[in-house]
Amino acid sequence: MNYLVVDMTHGGVKLCLKLSKDKENTVYGYDIYHSLKQSDLKEIESNNIKLIENIGNLKNLNLLSVISPVHCRLQEENYKEQINKNITYYTHHSGVKLILKTWLNKMNKSNIPIIEITGVKGKTTTSFILKEILPNPLLLSSLGSYIFKEDPIILKKNISITPANIIETIDMAGKIANPKCSLDMDGNKFKDEINYESAIFESSLGACGIGDIGILTNIIEDYPIAKGKSSASIAKEQIFNCKLVVCEYNTLKQYYKKFNEDKINTFAINNDNSDVNLIGKNIKYGLNKTSFTIEYNNLKTINGNLISGNFNVVSFAPGPHHILNILAATTGALSLEIEEKVIINGLSNFKGIEGRSSIRKIDNSTIIEEINPGLNTSSIEKSIEMVEEDNDYNIIIGGKYGITCEEIEEDKLIKLIGSKILKNPHLKIILVDELGHSIKRKINNLDSKFESTIYIQELDQAIEYSLKNNKNILLIYRSNYSQVNKR
């Protein structure tokens, strides 16, 4: 078989190398963004992978499969036009499923559940909630890849959630289980032993379709991708290739009505619609602990059963968006027929995530941290809603640019800040870092100056300023936690 792998930036090198292990394959690589590192180039050349400059040169190639990321400016129709109409097209996500065929067979035979998680927000938190519920999981998240047992094993801290890194995570876990064995296929024999009892994979812009359960947390902003040729909602519909899908109710109704609801479970907060499968209700919010009732009805399970019931839980969920993450994870767990008592215990053990949503104390001040590389205006608004009526809180907003493909809409954020200050003139908002500087500069050019909004360059200084004034802090920061943690 002939394969063309497009984009060497977002996991393309790993896909090329995996495909080249089968000597019957001829693998071509297209470095569309000219981002190939010298070290990767040497590895590609040593594995007989052929780099091409013009995909049109493959016009006369028979049995060609093109594997390209969903966000690429070249889409399926472009490849068929520039190469030939007979190509077989895969996204990077579906290409990963193709490569993992042998591993998937082994997982299925061993009855080890696989969960894939995608969405605009809440992916990482939902992953870590599930790791408290599922037995000894292998986990790939934006915070790293791990095997969680009695003594957790860190496989890799700095790893992205591009689909090819699912393969790397599986390989790293296998090397621990079988340090003397190769993980690659040797004939028809797959030599690694599986040293985990479940698998959770967070994925950006879609899913590979390998999940027994696929979870779509939300589409709170449907941002454009592929130079405007596609969107987040279109890319993430790959989650419906999983065996059973969990989806936030409003997201399903707005974007995915075309999909068969016979394989979909929905979740929502305080929703009276009879077709919602799982609802969170009777919510009593607290900064450290929130209690609420989970009620589920005609919820479909992976074994073809319909289940109904209700139970009370206590967990870390200071705001509605945290509740929705818990409901997503709980719906996934119930879909696997995990017992209620196991879910209740897991949720009680979840205390938030250092590097996402967590609470800490400094002296007499409480700091709520909402740190995320992909923060957007909708998620910032939900965070502010937790404390906007409490004048004991300073709200710090800021962070970095260029850390995700999705950038923030500054004008929309400025309107949000203005509306919150209009509602509560005593609300103190401190802007910091690159994002804060840009926002403050634009505010200064407005007729309304938002007097209660100030700019402090360094995050540390903004925190010290608030602590000296005996204020609690809501920190909304657009960055990877590893960067923040160095302060």
Side-chain angles (χ1 to χ4, degrees):
M1 176 63 77
N2 297 306
Y3 289 97
L4 169 63
V5 178
V6 179
D7 186 359
M8 300 295 104
T9 306
H10 302 93
V13 172
K14 294 171 185 176
L15 298 180
C16 284
L17 293 172
K18 278 294 176 182
L19 290 166
S20 70
K21 297 295 182 182
D22 186 338
K23 301 307 178 185
E24 294 185 4
N25 292 337
T26 301
V27 182
Y28 301 86
Y30 181 35
D31 185 20
I32 188 171
Y33 301 118
H34 303 290
S35 59
L36 189 62
K37 297 178 182 177
Q38 194 65 30
S39 57
D40 289 331
L41 177 60
K42 291 180 181 178
E43 193 168 13
I44 280 177
E45 290 175 343
S46 66
N47 283 276
N48 297 315
I49 296 161
K50 303 174 183 179
L51 286 177
I52 62 170
E53 295 291 334
N54 184 355
I55 61 174
N57 293 340
L58 303 179
K59 276 187 177 181
N60 299 319
L61 206 57
N62 294 322
L63 299 176
L64 175 64
S65 293
V66 175
I67 302 177
S68 179
V70 292
H71 62 261
C72 185
R73 57 180 170 81
L74 295 179
Q75 297 287 290
E76 181 176 2
E77 61 272 17
N78 302 120
Y79 293 113
K80 289 186 174 180
E81 179 183 334
Q82 295 185 37
I83 302 175
N84 67 65
K85 63 181 181 180
N86 297 317
I87 65 163
T88 302
Y89 176 80
Y90 297 92
T91 64
H92 274 202
H93 294 85
S94 53
V96 167
K97 182 176 182 178
L98 182 73
I99 291 169
L100 289 177
K101 184 177 180 180
T102 301
W103 177 82
L104 285 170
N105 287 337
K106 185 158 189 172
M107 292 286 283
N108 289 334
K109 287 178 182 178
S110 303
N111 291 317
I112 299 175
I114 304 167
I115 295 185
E116 288 192 89
I117 302 173
T118 193
V120 174
K121 297 299 166 195
K123 299 184 293 295
T124 303
T125 301
T126 303
S127 299
F128 274 80
I129 295 168
L130 275 167
K131 79 86 172 167
E132 298 291 346
I133 298 171
L134 296 182
N136 296 335
L138 171 69
L139 172 64
L140 169 65
S141 78
S142 59
L143 296 181
S145 54
Y146 312 82
I147 300 175
F148 285 99
K149 295 187 174 184
E150 188 173 340
D151 295 315
I153 301 169
I154 300 173
L155 300 174
K156 192 173 184 179
K157 288 290 285 184
N158 295 316
I159 187 170
S160 72
I161 52 174
T162 193
N165 283 337
I166 293 176
I167 298 174
E168 182 174 359
T169 296
I170 293 167
D171 281 358
M172 289 187 293
K175 286 176 182 176
I176 290 173
N178 293 273
K180 296 182 181 179
C181 296
S182 166
L183 294 178
D184 298 313
M185 286 180 289
D186 183 7
N188 293 319
K189 186 179 179 183
F190 198 64
K191 293 188 288 189
D192 67 317
E193 292 299 322
I194 295 174
N195 54 342
Y196 39 89
E197 298 177 59
S198 58
I200 306 166
F201 299 126
E202 179 188 343
S203 188
S204 57
L205 287 178
C208 302
I210 62 176
D212 296 296
I213 307 295
I215 297 179
L216 178 52
T217 56
N218 54 63
I219 304 289
I220 61 172
E221 286 192 13
D222 191 18
Y223 53 89
I225 62 172
K227 300 293 183 181
K229 295 179 181 179
S230 188
S231 67
S233 63
I234 294 173
K236 293 175 192 296
E237 72 179 29
Q238 294 177 98
I239 197 74
F240 292 94
N241 294 323
C242 294
K243 294 176 185 175
L244 191 62
V245 176
V246 169
C247 184
E248 192 270 325
Y249 181 79
N250 292 327
T251 295
L252 181 71
K253 295 303 179 183
Q254 183 172 355
Y255 296 103
Y256 302 111
K257 290 180 180 178
K258 66 180 180 180
F259 289 99
N260 185 354
E261 293 192 20
D262 289 343
K263 61 172 284 186
I264 301 170
N265 287 318
T266 55
F267 62 91
I269 295 177
N270 294 327
N271 194 311
D272 294 328
N273 290 303
S274 59
D275 56 340
V276 182
N277 298 108
L278 185 142
I279 299 170
K281 56 198 307 185
N282 304 324
I283 303 169
K284 296 179 180 178
Y285 289 104
L287 283 182
N288 292 298
K289 291 182 179 180
T290 293
S291 62
F292 55 101
T293 300
I294 288 176
E295 188 175 282
Y296 58 100
N297 185 48
N298 289 327
L299 190 142
K300 309 159 195 76
T301 76
I302 200 67
N303 297 318
N305 298 315
L306 291 177
I307 59 174
S308 301
N310 64 83
F311 53 92
N312 296 320
V313 299
V314 176
S315 190
F316 172 82
H321 55 302
H322 301 106
I323 293 284
L324 285 168
N325 294 335
I326 288 174
L327 299 184
T330 301
T331 308
L334 286 170
S335 299
L336 290 171
E337 297 191 359
I338 293 176
E339 294 181 6
E340 289 181 3
K341 63 181 181 181
V342 175
I343 297 172
I344 292 168
N345 184 61
L347 295 181
S348 69
N349 289 334
F350 179 69
K351 309 298 183 186
I353 315 170
E354 186 180 50
R356 277 299 184 267
S357 298
S358 59
I359 295 177
R360 61 191 176 102
K361 284 275 192 179
I362 296 182
D363 298 328
N364 294 320
S365 296
T366 297
I367 302 179
I368 304 174
E369 293 183 323
E370 296 278 6
I371 300 168
N372 194 316
L375 277 174
N376 59 23
T377 308
S378 296
S379 56
I380 291 173
E381 181 173 17
K382 291 181 183 300
S383 297
I384 291 175
E385 286 172 354
M386 293 190 293
V387 302
E388 64 182 321
E389 295 181 2
D390 188 339
N391 292 331
D392 287 333
Y393 273 86
N394 282 353
I395 299 174
I396 300 175
I397 301 176
K400 307 290 185 182
Y401 279 103
I403 49 176
T404 65
C405 297
E406 173 197 359
E407 293 298 2
I408 199 161
E409 297 180 66
E410 291 185 351
D411 292 339
K412 193 173 179 181
L413 178 55
I414 290 169
K415 287 181 181 179
L416 171 65
I417 292 172
S419 68
K420 295 301 181 184
I421 292 174
L422 183 64
K423 183 178 178 182
N424 180 6
H426 299 289
L427 194 66
K428 188 76 169 183
I429 295 180
I430 304 172
L431 301 169
V432 299
D433 218 326
E434 295 172 6
L435 172 61
H437 182 266
S438 184
I439 295 296
K440 186 59 178 175
R441 179 174 52 81
K442 288 188 175 182
I443 287 175
N444 287 341
N445 291 328
L446 299 176
D447 292 334
S448 177
K449 303 299 183 188
F450 306 163
E451 297 298 336
S452 62
T453 300
I454 64 172
Y455 173 71
I456 298 176
Q457 182 175 349
E458 298 294 334
L459 177 57
D460 279 351
Q461 294 173 1
I463 293 173
E464 289 174 8
Y465 170 88
S466 299
L467 296 178
K468 284 180 181 178
N469 287 280
N470 296 313
K471 291 288 188 178
N472 297 321
I473 299 169
L474 170 61
L475 171 59
I476 305 172
Y477 197 79
R478 193 175 193 273
S479 179
N480 293 311
Y481 188 77
S482 59
Q483 294 173 312
V484 180
N485 205 32
K486 292 176 182 175
R487 65 178 187 267

